[in-house]
């Protein structure tokens, strides 16, 4: 599994001439790093008398962050697996009309799944962005830099996931599916952009 590699091992795998893992897995990893940093801020805020008035919310954020981190780590491998399924579909025989039809159907099915996976990554990254903004606002100010990095890393993961969604859409013929994904993408993009701008503004206010 990719997620069980060392950091250097994963980076070298990304740098290889293999098409997977690629940007989709990297985007999921970026999102998980963002979530981990928000959890870190919670750990440096939790139990501190100075922040007693936000303890309940900090604990809630920490639990949400843990769930998102774990999901996004799972998506690192899931994205590569989804890509591999698309490649398997393209390698199916296409000598007869029946084979061509089956191959086309499998390609469409696999490509849809390879589109929905980064969409899940994008959705999770938006949630991480929200946590990042909140811990940057109420968390221990000594970890403000970490909270800000949590946000920008999650935004990078989000944008990378959206790129992966979009590149797959060009191969899909199901108009209803396309419209549904495009609508969701627009909503997510707006939410991510707005939250990212708030994070950057807050970081400038706190860090200079």
């Amino acid at each position: 599994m990719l997620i069980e590699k060392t950091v250097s091992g994963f980076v070298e795998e990304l740098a290889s001439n293999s098409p997977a893992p690629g940007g989709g897995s990297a985007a999921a990893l970026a999102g998980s790093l963002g979530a981990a940093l928000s959890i870190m801020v919670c750990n440096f805020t939790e139990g501190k008398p100075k922040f007693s008035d936000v303890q309940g919310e900090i604990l809630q954020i920490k639990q949400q962050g843990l769930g998102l981190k774990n999901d996004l780590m799972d998506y690192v491998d899931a994205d590569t697996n989804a890509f591999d399924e698309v490649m398997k579909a393209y390698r199916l025989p296409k000598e007869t009309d029946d084979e061509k039809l089956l191959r086309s159907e499998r390609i469409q099915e696999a490509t849809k799944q390879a589109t929905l996976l980064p969409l899940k990554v994008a959705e999770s990254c938006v949630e991480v962005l929200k946590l990042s903004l909140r811990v940057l606002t109420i968390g221990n100010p000594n970890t403000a830099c970490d909270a800000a990095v949590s946000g920008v890393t999650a935004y990078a993961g989000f944008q990378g996931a959206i790129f992966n969604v979009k590149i797959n859409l060009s191969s899909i013929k199901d108009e209803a599916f396309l419209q549904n994904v495009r609508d969701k993408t627009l909503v997510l993009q707006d939410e991510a952009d707005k939250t990212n701008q708030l994070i950057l503004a807050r970081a400038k206010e706190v860090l200079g």
Side-chain angles (χ1 to χ4, degrees):
M1 294 177 64
L2 293 170
I3 202 65
E4 293 178 356
K5 287 182 175 291
T6 63
V7 173
S8 60
F10 184 81
V11 171
E12 290 303 320
E13 189 77 16
L14 280 179
S16 73
N17 62 359
S18 171
S25 291
L29 179 61
S32 72
L33 293 174
L37 282 167
S38 281
I39 295 166
M40 173 189 172
V41 176
C42 289
N43 285 330
F44 278 94
T45 308
E46 183 181 348
K48 302 291 192 298
K50 185 177 180 180
F51 310 107
S52 59
D53 57 330
V54 297
Q55 288 300 300
E57 186 174 1
I58 285 294
L59 289 172
Q60 184 179 31
I61 291 171
K62 183 177 177 179
Q63 288 305 308
Q64 290 176 318
L66 285 167
L68 289 164
K69 174 183 68 67
N70 292 338
D71 287 345
L72 285 158
M73 288 174 67
D74 288 341
Y75 295 154
V76 171
D77 277 294
D79 185 88
T80 293
N81 293 338
F83 177 83
D84 288 342
E85 289 302 312
V86 174
M87 292 298 98
K88 284 181 185 177
Y90 272 101
R91 287 194 291 268
L92 288 172
K94 50 181 178 178
E95 297 301 321
T96 68
D97 288 343
D98 285 344
E99 287 177 344
K100 289 177 182 178
L101 178 61
L102 177 61
R103 178 176 177 273
S104 178
E105 289 175 348
R106 292 285 177 82
I107 288 172
Q108 288 297 301
E109 180 183 345
T111 305
K112 284 182 179 180
Q113 293 306 311
T115 302
L116 293 175
L117 195 286
L119 189 62
K120 287 181 182 179
V121 173
E123 290 169 343
S124 294
C125 286
V126 168
E127 295 306 309
V128 175
L129 279 164
K130 294 175 185 177
L131 299 188
S132 303
L133 176 59
R134 196 62 187 143
V135 295
L136 181 57
T137 304
I138 69 171
N140 189 329
N142 292 331
T143 56
C145 178
D146 304 291
V149 174
S150 168
V152 297
T153 306
Y155 186 73
F158 167 81
Q159 200 61 66
I162 291 298
F163 289 153
N164 276 269
V165 170
K166 289 181 176 179
I167 197 168
N168 284 318
L169 293 181
S170 61
S171 301
I172 295 172
K173 300 174 182 178
D174 185 337
E175 288 299 328
F177 179 90
L178 288 172
Q179 192 59 53
N180 183 48
V181 171
R182 284 170 178 152
D183 289 345
K184 286 183 178 179
T185 299
L186 286 173
V187 172
L188 288 170
Q189 186 75 61
D190 182 64
E191 193 169 11
D193 288 345
K194 288 178 178 177
T195 308
N196 183 56
Q197 288 302 312
L198 290 172
I199 289 169
L200 293 177
R202 178 63 180 167
K204 185 175 182 180
E205 180 182 331
V206 176
L207 300 171

